[in-house]
Amino acid sequence: MNTQNIFDEMRAGDGQVRLLYQPFSEWLKGVDHAQLMQKSREAEMLFRRVGITFNVYGEEAGAERLIPFDVIPRILAANEWRQLSAGVIQRVAALNAFLNDLYHDQEIIKAGIVPATILENEMYRPEMQGVDVPGGIYAHIAGIDIVRTAENQFYVLEDNLRTPSGVSYMLENRKMMMRLFPELFRRYAVAPVEHYPQVLLNNLRAVAQPGVHDPVVVLLTPGAYNSAYFEHAFLAQQMGIELVEGQDLFCKDNAVFMRTTEGPKRVDVIYRRIDDDFLDPLAFREDSMLGVPGLVSVYRNGGVTLANAIGAGVADDKSTYTYVPEMVRFYLGEEPILSNVPTYKLEKPDDLKYVLEHLAELVVKEVQGSGGYGMLVGPTASKQQIEEFRARILAEPDNYIAQPTLALSTCPTLVEQGVAPRHVDLRPFVLSGKTVTLVPGGLCRVAMREGSLVVNSSQGGGTKDTWVLNGDKPC
Amino acid sequence: MLSRTADHLYWMARYIERAENMARVLDVTDRMSLVANSAYDEAARWKPPVLIADDVAVFERDYGSYTAANVMHYMALDERNPSSIVSALGAARENARAVRVAMSSEMWETVNALWLELRQRIRQGLREADIGEFCDWVKSRSHLFRGVTFGTMLRDDGYKFVRLGSFVERADNTARLLDAKFQLLLPNEDPTAEMDYYEWSSLLRSVSAFEAYQKVYRDTIEPTKVAELLVLRDDMPRSLHACYDELAPILEQLCRQPGCECLRLAGENHARLHFGRINHIFNSGLHEFLQDFIARNNALGIEIQRAFLNSPD
């Protein structure tokens, strides 16, 4: 990768600070490295005390880690945000239309745009075929991962439509920044994000089954040992709803109830943060202790709403990703605002041949992988890693896609040696209820290691606050 | 509220209360061992804490002898001992973590900070000489938790379950403490013995009742008065009577079904304390009375569990 061409969020190619970052840059000159490190430690202490942690699988039992928090914000102008947010709203609208179509008439398959082989995808749930969900909404909460390569060039890296996480960090990071650097918020008119839980709750209430007047909404978590448990607890608290585990719920008379100290109480909408496979031992994995026996049957009969819907994962699969621009055209009759990254599907012989010849330049991902596991970043991989991956691809080509290594933009980041550019991405959270909306911001993830393109928290990536400004200029 | 949430809140409070009581017992034992010319040898001195926790068989199997170091380690730090301070605080934090949304964030932060600091202390190593400071720390954290709860928690059912847990546990602990001390002290009946002053005053200090005793009785320390203070006086915060003065009204608010067994059990226990006379209790045996009370209090705990916390479909 040619490092000369990497877009830096703060500095233009000639080293000049971009207009948007000028007040920040001025401020930065007035604080020394030690002060910033001190603020950084203060943030770490506060996060730990509040328990803003994630659990790490496969390590010492009960190990809780902090996601590194970077004190330097990423700043976006209003016009950049307009383009971005219009793009993700359009995309999520198309994805919901696609899911509704796929589980009903399958017009897009009949039109020859998406191949019928999609029905063989593991994430396609035949149980959902013909089931009507309120408002035709499947992905009530979507996290769309976006990277930037140039001034006005944003790419969607992937769509997360199952149980996307990270929104609590968007909110907590903002709170932390306001606490650590109140003076910066006087220099910048930063659009607020704190109302996210209210928007989410309104949307969840709006998708209760018709006829329910005062819907009871709950958040279903796998429990305190899940890696995202902090977020589940945080969101439930912010929305003022019960945080339930599978054992708290039971199904009876085509309805779901929770066990309370005053007896059973009916539940209308479940914001579930448990994967499809574990939702109901009677329908999916019978060894699941996390789910609620009979839930799928009640759901199919309209006794409860699940957010996100069962079977939404078929649309965020990395092999389905390539069709999303076509979905935008097919369902909305619009041109896609955001670009897809060109993607090679290794089930196609030509693509496979090309990819095997260019492994050292490409990023190869497992079709259903997530969290940065099961991927090869060609340009930074060793010869041995490349050869190992070659063998895996040859054994199961259908299981992989490949993409050119994008020159992800960088943002100044506080590291031991000082402030240095590190690669970033952005995950805004798109909410679908009566309307499709999002709050101005998202989870900015940053690869803390020099040159690394892997921003996932499970791989040591950190987070930043993202500032969307009210205008196109700093103030 | 969710039964599971109520369960976690109830047990969180019980475990914090348990840790506090354990710290009180250890602290007092430790201070008494410093008093010169003790009438007891080290083993006799250090057995009561284990007796109070009802753990004699396990302790003797794992540790053998009742030395100060062994007992301190077992009661404070041994993670295999479910009643140790470390186990109790760990369990309190696990319960809190599971329902952190059901309490105020200040409560959660207090429990979490307590746990983080505990781990820090253990990492640095806890020396025998530090035990007093460590016990003070545990007690002060428990006070802080109680204060934060009182000052910040919504007065909803969750609050009631927290209080319920504290008082069920405290009643149990006070009864055990009293029982163990009386078993150790009474056979040695010499009311003028100088040592007894220290023994009885140490018992009072362990439940922060020394000053209260002086105020109430303005008299030398006598076993029957100590027992009266800790069993029957309703103005003594850690007495059995005071615990039931708190418990009974909470249960009245929580029991929304008529004929609730919890309410009956609590009322029955309450009446015995409310209308009891200390000379009657001594006549039929304090030990028997306390053993009976511990069993009744335990039965109430089981009934609370059945009625609210693990309710069947």
Side-chain angles (χ1 to χ4, degrees):
Chain A
M1 191 178 8
N2 184 352
T3 50
Q4 297 299 309
N5 297 330
I6 292 173
F7 181 88
D8 187 87
E9 303 277 338
M10 182 157 133
R11 286 175 197 279
D14 56 6
Q16 285 287 312
V17 174
R18 296 179 199 279
L19 177 66
L20 210 53
Y21 274 86
Q22 276 168 8
F24 179 78
S25 173
E26 284 303 311
W27 172 86
L28 195 58
K29 279 179 202 155
V31 283
D32 63 23
H33 183 62
Q35 280 173 296
L36 283 177
M37 292 306 275
Q38 173 58 32
K39 290 284 185 186
S40 180
R41 280 192 296 274
E42 198 179 320
E44 191 180 318
M45 198 196 70
L46 286 167
F47 277 136
R48 196 172 286 287
R49 200 182 73 198
V50 177
I52 302 179
T53 54
F54 72 109
N55 297 330
V56 189
Y57 297 127
E59 288 192 10
E60 168 202 352
E64 292 163 27
R65 269 216 238 134
L66 291 178
I67 295 182
F69 166 69
D70 184 59
V71 295
I72 300 179
R74 178 180 185 181
I75 307 175
L76 292 168
N79 59 5
E80 292 173 319
W81 180 252
R82 268 194 298 279
Q83 181 198 357
L84 253 175
S85 61
V88 293
I89 287 172
Q90 177 194 54
R91 198 168 169 102
V92 170
L95 285 163
N96 268 317
F98 166 72
L99 284 161
N100 197 34
D101 181 29
L102 189 69
Y103 288 115
H104 290 85
D105 302 333
Q106 305 181 337
E107 298 289 352
I108 201 164
I109 297 178
K110 290 175 195 155
I113 294 168
V114 173
T117 50
I118 193 163
L119 302 175
E120 294 159 22
N121 189 298
E122 266 182 58
M123 289 294 129
Y124 169 75
R125 300 289 179 183
E127 295 85 351
M128 289 298 290
Q129 195 60 49
V131 175
D132 293 328
V133 298
I137 301 169
Y138 290 75
H140 305 83
I141 301 101
I144 310 295
D145 291 347
I146 292 173
V147 296
R148 175 185 226 176
T149 55
E151 183 81 48
N152 280 307
Q153 190 62 60
F154 293 98
Y155 284 99
V156 173
L157 211 50
E158 62 183 64
D159 309 289
N160 298 283
L161 307 182
R162 288 173 241 188
T163 57
S165 65
V167 76
S168 54
Y169 293 94
M170 170 180 91
L171 299 168
E172 287 290 343
N173 288 353
R174 174 62 51 84
K175 214 157 75 184
M176 186 60 76
M177 287 302 284
M178 292 181 116
R179 177 167 178 155
L180 294 180
F181 307 108
E183 69 274 22
L184 277 172
F185 289 85
R186 280 190 271 278
R187 299 192 189 200
Y188 280 99
V190 182
V193 292
E194 291 84 343
H195 54 296
Y196 176 88
Q198 280 309 306
V199 181
L200 175 59
L201 181 60
N202 285 340
N203 275 2
L204 291 171
R205 289 170 61 92
V207 295
Q209 292 287 336
V212 178
H213 293 302
D214 187 15
V216 172
V217 182
V218 299
L219 195 156
L220 176 62
T221 174
Y225 296 99
N226 183 266
S227 66
Y229 178 71
F230 156 71
E231 173 152 311
H232 306 161
F234 173 85
L235 286 175
Q237 187 168 41
Q238 295 294 311
M239 290 190 281
I241 63 175
E242 291 287 0
L243 177 67
V244 302
E245 296 181 13
Q247 52 175 306
D248 299 322
L249 301 179
F250 67 94
C251 299
K252 201 176 163 185
D253 305 332
N254 194 39
V256 179
F257 296 89
M258 55 181 162
R259 295 182 167 91
T260 81
T261 53
E262 295 168 77
K265 183 170 182 191
R266 173 96 190 245
V267 170
D268 302 299
V269 180
I270 301 176
Y271 174 21
R272 51 87 171 223
R273 297 291 298 260
I274 294 182
D275 291 337
D276 284 357
D277 275 343
F278 295 92
L279 269 181
D280 179 354
L282 300 182
F284 303 125
R285 286 180 59 153
E286 49 187 281
D287 61 340
S288 171
M289 305 292 286
L290 306 173
V292 186
L295 180 61
V296 171
S297 162
V298 175
Y299 176 58
R300 282 172 44 90
N301 291 318
V304 71
T305 301
L306 293 178
N308 287 343
I310 292 175
V314 68
D316 76 8
D317 191 283
K318 291 187 180 69
S319 63
T320 311
Y321 163 86
T322 51
Y323 301 108
V324 179
E326 285 303 319
M327 292 176 196
V328 172
R329 295 185 189 101
F330 184 76
Y331 295 111
L332 310 179
E334 298 170 6
E335 272 307 299
I337 298 168
L338 294 172
S339 317
N340 257 18
V341 183
T343 304
Y344 303 98
K345 309 184 83 168
L346 304 198
E347 61 197 18
K348 295 185 185 166
D350 288 353
D351 284 9
L352 178 63
K353 181 166 182 289
Y354 175 85
V355 168
L356 290 174
E357 284 165 6
H358 296 86
L359 274 180
E361 302 154 29
L362 299 169
V363 176
V364 187
K365 296 175 182 171
E366 265 182 53
V367 170
Q368 287 170 24
S370 67
Y373 293 103
M375 64 188 280
L376 174 79
V377 183
T380 59
S382 69
K383 275 220 166 75
Q384 192 196 352
Q385 284 169 324
I386 289 177
E387 289 317 308
E388 277 171 20
F389 235 84
R390 186 188 304 281
R392 284 164 65 177
I393 294 168
L394 284 168
E396 222 181 340
D398 298 5
N399 198 30
Y400 295 92
I401 55 140
Q403 294 169 333
T405 317
L406 294 186
L408 263 58
S409 66
T410 58
C411 188
T413 299
L414 181 66
V415 294
E416 282 298 325
Q417 301 77 30
V419 174
R422 291 290 183 267
H423 293 290
V424 290
D425 81 347
L426 181 66
R427 174 182 289 184
F429 294 86
V430 185
L431 298 174
S432 305
K434 276 201 182 108
T435 55
V436 186
T437 53
L438 72 170
V439 300
L443 173 67
C444 174
R445 299 184 297 180
V446 50
M448 299 303 280
R449 268 183 299 129
E450 190 175 358
S452 171
L453 293 169
V454 185
V455 295
N456 301 80
S457 52
S458 45
Q459 308 286 309
T463 67
K464 280 172 175 291
D465 191 13
T466 303
W467 294 358
V468 174
L469 304 187
N470 282 336
D472 298 334
K473 292 192 185 113
C475 309
Chain B
M1 70 185 309
L2 275 185
S3 296
R4 183 177 52 82
T5 305
D7 184 79
H8 285 299
L9 290 172
Y10 172 83
W11 280 102
M12 170 185 72
R14 279 197 75 157
Y15 281 121
I16 288 180
E17 187 70 27
R18 187 171 298 177
E20 178 185 338
N21 280 289
M22 208 55 77
R24 289 174 173 283
V25 170
L26 269 187
D27 192 31
V28 163
T29 311
D30 182 44
R31 273 191 225 167
M32 275 309 292
S33 69
L34 304 178
V35 175
N37 302 321
S38 169
Y40 306 100
D41 60 10
E42 189 180 19
R45 169 74 49 217
W46 283 94
K47 191 173 177 182
V50 182
L51 210 59
I52 290 166
D54 217 0
D55 282 345
V56 171
V58 176
F59 178 86
E60 289 178 1
R61 185 195 67 205
D62 292 347
Y63 287 82
S65 57
Y66 291 95
T67 63
N70 280 351
V71 174
M72 279 185 201
H73 186 267
Y74 180 68
M75 305 304 289
L77 300 179
D78 193 339
E79 288 180 28
R80 293 172 305 171
N81 171 9
S83 305
S84 72
I85 291 173
V86 165
S87 297
L89 292 179
R93 198 259 183 175
E94 277 309 297
N95 277 287
R97 198 164 107 80
V99 290
R100 52 182 291 174
V101 297
M103 60 188 105
S104 68
S105 50
E106 283 161 83
M107 283 171 74
W108 155 248
E109 285 175 35
T110 302
V111 178
N112 195 40
L114 181 164
W115 182 76
L116 291 170
E117 208 180 320
L118 176 71
R119 302 224 311 181
Q120 177 80 14
R121 280 165 174 270
I122 293 171
R123 259 199 307 278
Q124 286 165 353
L126 192 64
R127 293 171 308 138
E128 229 175 277
D130 301 333
I131 195 77
E133 195 272 329
F134 178 70
C135 290
D136 279 347
W137 175 77
V138 173
K139 279 194 279 179
S140 75
R141 289 300 135 146
S142 176
H143 291 321
L144 181 62
F145 171 76
R146 196 162 28 247
V148 167
T149 303
F150 192 76
T152 64
M153 193 178 185
L154 183 70
R155 298 302 194 259
D156 59 358
D157 281 357
Y159 179 76
K160 292 172 191 129
F161 281 104
V162 170
R163 304 276 288 167
L164 206 52
S166 302
F167 293 117
V168 170
E169 183 71 23
R170 187 183 298 173
D172 176 81
N173 283 280
T174 299
R176 284 174 189 277
L177 179 67
L178 207 53
D179 194 29
K181 278 286 175 181
F182 269 80
Q183 281 188 68
L184 175 75
L185 291 175
L186 279 187
N188 177 30
E189 283 190 55
D190 175 5
T192 60
E194 185 187 77
M195 273 318 292
D196 273 10
Y197 170 80
Y198 293 102
E199 290 296 344
W200 290 115
S201 63
S202 81
L203 168 61
L204 289 170
R205 283 184 214 280
S206 74
V207 290
S208 303
F210 182 74
E211 293 93 345
Y213 184 96
Q214 306 292 6
K215 264 190 163 168
V216 171
Y217 297 104
R218 300 183 187 285
D219 194 1
T220 53
I221 297 174
E222 290 173 25
T224 48
K225 286 186 175 140
V226 171
E228 185 182 56
L229 185 70
L230 296 184
V231 176
L232 297 180
R233 291 284 307 202
D234 62 356
D235 50 1
M236 179 63 228
R238 309 191 76 82
S239 77
L240 305 186
H241 191 176
C243 289
Y244 270 78
D245 273 356
E246 300 277 358
L247 277 178
I250 294 172
L251 284 168
E252 265 172 42
Q253 289 166 24
L254 288 172
C255 286
R256 291 174 180 108
Q257 316 290 335
C260 177
E261 176 66 7
C262 286
L263 210 51
R264 196 194 65 73
L265 279 174
E268 192 176 66
N269 293 354
H270 191 205
R272 292 164 147 262
L273 298 164
H274 191 70
F275 298 107
R277 286 275 169 80
I278 201 65
N279 51 344
H280 294 172
I281 291 173
F282 267 84
N283 286 344
S284 50
L286 179 67
H287 174 63
E288 288 69 21
F289 177 88
L290 291 171
Q291 285 297 315
D292 183 49
F293 174 83
I294 291 168
R296 286 167 178 277
N297 188 60
N298 194 32
L300 175 64
I302 290 167
E303 189 52 34
I304 288 170
Q305 198 82 31
R306 199 196 63 74
F308 305 110
L309 309 180
N310 300 324
S311 60
D313 295 354

